[in-house]
Amino acid sequence: MRRRNGIPIDIPSARKKAVKDKVLKHPEYNQYNVYVTMFKHEDGQNIWTMVPFMHPDYRKLRKEGYRITEKWDKREVSA
């Protein structure tokens, strides 16, 4: 960045190029669209978790005593 009389001058072509990082998504990311936020109170602590609604872990968590606090669609939340 150049300076003129001590004031920095922004020249877009003189900017350093930013490195683009590739985001790796979980293999099951596109498989599930509806997620559930679940809650459990255990040993004086609150435990929160998010799990896909149709995932086998959802049923396991329900049997362990987790309660549903919110059901949401990934397509509506992420813009």
Side-chain angles (χ1 to χ4, degrees):
M1 187 177 279
R2 284 186 16 200
R3 293 181 172 268
R4 179 175 233 167
N5 297 330
I7 301 170
I9 300 172
D10 183 29
I11 302 170
S13 61
R15 291 183 194 159
K16 293 180 182 177
K17 299 293 182 189
V19 178
K20 292 186 178 181
D21 291 332
K22 291 186 178 181
V23 178
L24 298 175
K25 294 181 181 177
H26 195 273
E28 297 177 340
Y29 180 78
N30 290 326
Q31 186 176 356
Y32 302 106
N33 288 321
V34 179
Y35 285 78
V36 178
T37 304
M38 302 179 86
F39 168 79
K40 181 180 181 182
H41 188 76
E42 185 178 279
D43 299 329
Q45 293 184 344
N46 296 331
I47 303 170
W48 294 89
T49 185
M50 289 185 293
V51 66
F53 185 65
M54 299 301 290
H55 198 274
D57 288 344
Y58 167 74
R59 289 190 182 92
K60 291 178 189 174
L61 292 171
R62 290 287 290 172
K63 289 179 183 176
E64 291 178 16
Y66 281 83
R67 295 179 301 184
I68 298 174
T69 56
E70 183 182 17
K71 185 176 177 183
W72 47 278
D73 193 334
K74 173 181 76 174
R75 295 167 291 194
E76 293 175 8
V77 175
S78 61

